[in-house]
Amino acid sequence: MRVGSNIVSLRWVTVAAWFAAAAALIAFAPREPQGEEPESFLPDDAPVRRAQALLRQAFPQRSGLSEAAVVFERHGRALDTDDLGAIERFADRLRAQAGAEREGGTLAGVTVRSPASVAVPKIPLVGLDTVPNPLVSPASDRGQAALVVVSVPSNFITRRSDRVVKHVREMLARLRDDEQLPAGLDVAVTGPSGYGSDYALAANRSHEQTFRVTVVAVLVILLLVHRAPLAALVPLTAISLAAVAALKLLNILTLFGMQFGTAEIIFVVVLLYGAGTDYSLLLISRYREQLDAGAPGAQAVAEAIDATLPAILASAGTDAAGLLTLVFASFGIFRTTGPAVALALTIAFLASVTLVPAFLSLLGPRVFWPGRRGQRPARVSRFWPKLAGAVTARPGVVFVATLALLAVPAIRAVKLPWVYDTLASLKSSYGAARGAEMARRHWPIGEIAPVVVIAHSDATLDAPAWRELSDRLTRAASSAAGVTNVRSLTQPFGKGVSPAANAAVAAFASGKVNGEYLSADRRTMRLQAVLDGPPLTLESMDAVRRIAQAARDALPASQAKHVTIQLAGATAEILDVREVTQRDFYLVAALSLAIILSIVLALLRDVILTTFMVASTALSYLAALGVAYWVFAGWLGEPGLDWKVEVFLFVVMIAVGVDYNIFLAARLGQEAAGGDKLRAVRQAVIHTGPVISSCGIIMAATLGSLMAGDLKLLQQLGFAFAVGMLIDTFVVRPLLLPAFIAMTGRIGRVSGLSH
């Protein structure tokens, strides 16, 4: 009882220390994340990163890592001289601001392309008085819209990109207020950076909504469990203080290079509340048992700490260990989210085993007011005894039936079509979605994020050689399915202009065309391929693969050894994200399974029981994934589940699900001391049922609160978490696992754990 008695004796110091630490962090820690963000979350050796580096070297004015497309639209008629003049004044002002920006400023490195900057003078050629401008909608559309393309030197989901888009939108709003934009000229900011900025806005809104739902859900469930307001407020207060400390510490860590997006922070908060409340619930339930047994208040708290600390420590350890395996991932978001959640869980653990018992010591038995001392309600549930009796009476039937029930959705989840077009799932009320719809009315939607094909030679080629290669690559890329237009050195204004006219343009304005498509050292050439579908979709990703293959096949044999083909752009980047994150998933899954298996084996010292526990939790994960796919893809008609669901659901389900099994095994170890294993199984189910099921409901409610957010990722992840927790709590832990133990007699030898 030394640990428990020490915590009780230092209760005032503990409470004061927690509040002082929280106050210091609030006062001195950064209010927002700080430090330099990575340019991309992909590893440096990813193909698109190499392509971006090559573009930056060869075309410094065209080398942004993402783009924002500012769409100007005049409904029902062509843009007039006043409209085009206002558009150019906006572009010129933005260029001037970017040129005057110092290194590290919001607009440093930003470049701007407007209709006038790419226009070619009239060509004195019969039948070609004007040349179509790629940034003005075609003649068939009567020129009702124009684009200003803002090149951003950072990934489209970074804070830097978000600041650029916000600056552009604020600038446009000021121009509108000052009446410097003609009446009736509509404008919106879209493109990858526009979507990224709105994604961040949706994430911030989701954070607020999710936090409110989480707190309310925890409070309501704790009130229902304890039927005492103070017993509900104690863990809620402690975990809220832990959340403040964790978030401030994460802001401090951004000063040292760790970066976290809002969506990841939401994930951290809900998991912290869920796990922290679970730990507290175990402790408070044991405290109530000690009071019911007649122990004085302080002694009851100390005994409750000593009885539950090993189980809570094992739970927090498996959770943190499972999530820390994300540090071995290559994708930046995974690599930083793992330590962030592990840190949050550690703080939740410390609050649960220090601050919660300190509060209990100060309040004493009146924490259970209006009940007397720690007495339970007179009415005792008959559900768990009946369930335990049914499981132990016919364990084989229960085992097979439960396994079959879980196998149906699990089999569906083995191979799913993951969706990477998460930005396009934003509601139509967001500016980027509105801008994309505006652009779609006048151009192929792929115009807001074209694919860049790069041909690089290890030696300088002369102009005729580059033109001949450009012609080959243009025809090859144009023939790829999913490509609607290609602009290049020999086809500078796309297929809307005849080959003869394109050739005339290239000859007449060779300096301007060469600057757009050929590097100054004549070693690198670029082409722009416009897709007929939205960027980031699975169809567009397949089109990018076809473009790359067609371009490589088109290289003449004499140049194939000296010229390489690389691709850049948002869709090429998401294609690399898919390949990198799939490798990461298999690595993280293997590591987390191995580590958790080792921890559980050390605790239970039974290979067969340990293996089954971890396998049953993996089955819960697959079943939850299958159910989520049926709901979102089958019922709601969405193309599939967001790709991040796979990894985050796995690491959390494996770690947390094993926790509940460990709690059951701990009670089994206690009950099996008499030698009757079937009785031990029955008693373990009866005694763990109310508490662990309450823990599962709390975890399902807190993680399920993600569904309150605006983002499809959070909605899908919240639903899958809630389903997974409920499956694990009400199917695997009280049915499948006890049935297996009853059939095999595998009790395990738990190393000092109890609950």
Side-chain angles (χ1 to χ4, degrees):
M1 270 181 21
R2 185 166 51 86
V3 174
S5 59
N6 286 340
I7 292 175
V8 170
S9 64
L10 296 173
R11 54 189 178 276
W12 283 108
V13 174
T14 300
V15 172
W18 270 98
F19 277 96
L25 287 169
I26 292 171
F28 300 110
R31 294 178 60 87
E32 300 291 339
Q34 304 293 316
E36 287 294 323
E37 293 179 292
E39 287 185 344
S40 173
F41 296 107
L42 288 167
D44 292 339
D45 60 352
V48 75
R49 294 295 306 279
R50 296 198 299 267
Q52 290 164 346
L54 183 56
L55 273 179
R56 182 179 298 146
Q57 178 182 356
F59 301 95
Q61 298 303 309
R62 304 284 184 268
S63 59
L65 296 183
S66 64
E67 291 181 339
V70 187
V71 187
F72 294 87
E73 182 184 41
R74 171 71 69 179
H75 293 283
R77 64 177 175 84
L79 298 170
D80 57 27
T81 303
D82 289 342
D83 295 332
L84 293 172
I87 292 169
E88 292 303 326
R89 286 193 296 274
F90 157 74
D92 289 341
R93 182 177 299 186
L94 190 58
R95 283 192 198 97
Q97 292 176 350
E101 192 77 81
R102 294 182 177 181
E103 183 68 27
T106 294
L107 298 182
V110 168
T111 59
V112 182
R113 300 171 69 222
S114 61
S117 70
V118 301
V120 173
K122 291 184 179 181
I123 300 176
L125 185 68
V126 176
L128 190 64
D129 293 330
T130 60
V131 176
N133 192 313
L135 297 185
V136 177
S137 60
S140 59
D141 180 63
R142 295 189 298 163
Q144 297 180 63
L147 292 174
V148 171
V149 180
V150 182
S151 181
V152 182
S154 60
N155 185 277
F156 59 85
I157 55 174
T158 58
R159 293 196 306 275
R160 169 76 185 283
S161 177
D162 180 39
R163 289 196 299 269
V164 171
V165 171
K166 285 180 178 175
H167 180 91
V168 171
R169 285 174 170 163
E170 289 168 0
M171 185 175 172
L172 289 167
R174 287 195 299 270
L175 291 175
R176 179 72 73 193
D177 292 341
D178 296 341
E179 299 183 352
Q180 296 184 40
L181 290 180
L185 181 64
D186 200 6
V187 60
V189 182
T190 186
S193 287
Y195 269 110
S197 180
D198 282 349
Y199 189 88
L201 176 60
N204 285 325
R205 291 175 178 173
S206 298
H207 191 5
E208 298 170 2
Q209 296 161 358
T210 299
F211 179 75
R212 287 195 294 267
V213 173
T214 298
V215 172
V216 171
V218 168
L219 182 59
V220 169
I221 293 172
L222 287 176
L223 284 171
L224 292 174
V225 170
H226 294 302
R227 303 181 187 181
L230 288 177
L233 288 174
V234 162
L236 186 61
T237 303
I239 302 308
S240 295
L241 204 62
V244 170
L247 293 177
K248 289 299 180 180
L249 284 173
L250 291 180
N251 284 348
I252 292 174
L253 289 178
T254 61
L255 296 170
F256 301 94
M258 294 186 70
Q259 295 295 328
F260 317 100
T262 305
E264 289 73 47
I265 294 299
I266 296 171
F267 180 50
V268 168
V269 170
V270 297
L271 196 55
L272 184 151
Y273 268 91
T277 307
D278 275 3
Y279 304 155
S280 302
L281 184 59
L282 289 172
L283 176 65
I284 294 174
S285 297
R286 192 58 176 240
Y287 174 50
R288 192 203 306 260
E289 287 184 18
Q290 298 301 323
L291 288 175
D292 288 343
Q299 180 183 335
V301 173
E303 290 176 350
I305 295 171
D306 290 333
T308 57
L309 181 59
I312 295 174
L313 179 60
S315 174
T318 54
D319 293 346
L323 287 156
L324 278 175
T325 58
L326 287 169
V327 301
F328 297 100
S330 299
F331 191 61
I333 291 176
F334 292 164
R335 202 167 52 247
T336 56
T337 301
V341 179
L343 173 65
L345 289 178
T346 301
I347 294 173
F349 162 74
L350 292 174
S352 301
V353 299
T354 60
L355 188 55
V356 169
F359 281 148
L360 294 177
S361 300
L362 294 173
L363 292 169
R366 59 180 172 273
V367 74
F368 295 107
W369 176 88
R372 294 182 57 194
R373 293 176 62 84
Q375 293 177 353
R376 297 182 182 277
R379 184 172 177 270
V380 178
S381 172
R382 300 175 60 187
F383 173 78
W384 293 107
K386 285 186 175 181
L387 180 68
V391 171
T392 53
R394 305 189 70 180
V397 173
V398 172
F399 182 82
V400 172
T402 307
L403 206 58
L405 177 68
L406 296 177
V408 176
I411 291 171
R412 181 63 190 89
V414 171
K415 190 172 180 61
L416 293 179
W418 298 105
V419 174
Y420 289 78
D421 187 17
T422 54
L423 301 183
S425 65
L426 289 172
K427 296 178 180 177
S428 58
S429 58
Y430 286 92
R434 189 171 65 87
E437 188 56 37
M438 289 167 59
R440 193 192 298 270
R441 289 196 286 265
H442 307 284
W443 294 275
I445 188 59
E447 194 70 64
I448 65 173
V451 178
V452 181
V453 182
I454 308 164
H456 177 69
S457 173
D458 57 10
T460 301
L461 302 180
D462 57 22
W466 277 120
R467 284 195 295 272
E468 191 272 337
L469 183 57
S470 173
D471 186 58
R472 282 176 172 268
L473 295 179
T474 300
R475 285 187 277 111
S478 299
S479 67
V483 176
T484 188
N485 200 2
V486 175
R487 292 189 286 270
S488 65
L489 182 66
T490 51
Q491 188 174 285
F493 291 95
K495 68 178 184 180
V497 176
S498 68
N502 262 307
V505 171
F508 185 82
S510 59
K512 197 162 196 175
V513 172
N514 286 351
E516 182 76 14
Y517 298 107
L518 188 62
S519 65
D521 62 3
R522 295 193 174 185
R523 295 181 63 181
T524 307
M525 181 177 67
R526 66 192 287 270
L527 298 81
Q528 278 192 326
V530 179
L531 305 180
D532 60 9
L536 312 187
T537 62
L538 296 176
E539 293 77 13
S540 292
M541 292 161 70
D542 290 339
V544 167
R545 286 183 178 276
R546 290 191 291 268
I547 293 169
Q549 189 59 52
R552 293 183 179 112
D553 291 344
L555 290 176
S558 60
Q559 294 178 337
K561 296 180 181 178
H562 305 286
V563 177
T564 57
I565 300 296
Q566 300 180 53
L567 277 77
T571 306
E573 182 170 4
I574 207 69
L575 184 61
D576 281 358
V577 167
R578 179 170 69 176
E579 294 178 356
V580 168
T581 54
Q582 280 298 298
R583 291 198 302 268
D584 282 347
F585 172 72
Y586 293 123
L587 174 63
V588 168
L591 288 174
S592 59
L593 284 173
I595 290 175
I596 291 175
L597 198 67
S598 300
I599 293 173
V600 177
L601 181 60
L603 294 172
L604 301 184
R605 292 175 288 175
D606 186 315
V607 174
I608 295 176
L609 180 59
T610 297
T611 303
F612 182 79
M613 277 189 176
V614 176
S616 65
T617 307
L619 182 62
S620 298
Y621 157 76
L622 289 173
L625 207 56
V627 172
Y629 180 79
W630 283 338
V631 169
F632 285 96
W635 183 26
L636 299 179
E638 295 178 8
L641 297 178
D642 187 286
W643 57 278
K644 299 185 196 72
V645 172
E646 182 180 32
V647 173
F648 289 134
L649 180 66
F650 182 85
V651 293
V652 172
M653 281 289 300
I654 292 297
V656 175
V658 167
D659 289 350
Y660 297 155
N661 287 340
I662 289 175
F663 296 155
L664 176 65
R667 191 68 185 222
L668 273 168
Q670 284 184 319
E671 299 293 341
D676 187 341
K677 292 184 178 180
L678 284 181
R679 179 187 175 282
V681 172
R682 284 194 298 272
Q683 292 302 311
V685 171
I686 291 169
H687 288 291
T688 62
V691 176
I692 299 180
S693 296
S694 297
C695 288
I697 292 172
I698 287 172
M699 189 66 81
T702 53
L703 294 177
S705 67
L706 292 171
M707 288 186 283
D710 273 7
L711 298 177
K712 278 287 187 292
L713 162 64
L714 297 179
Q715 293 167 1
Q716 293 176 354
L717 196 55
F719 179 83
F721 274 139
V723 171
M725 290 297 111
L726 294 176
I727 287 174
D728 208 77
T729 305
F730 291 99
V731 179
V732 172
R733 200 268 311 158
L735 297 174
L736 187 65
L737 181 59
F740 174 81
I741 294 171
M743 287 192 306
T744 62
R746 315 296 305 194
I747 296 293
R749 297 183 299 279
V750 183
S751 300
L753 293 179
S754 61
H755 67 86

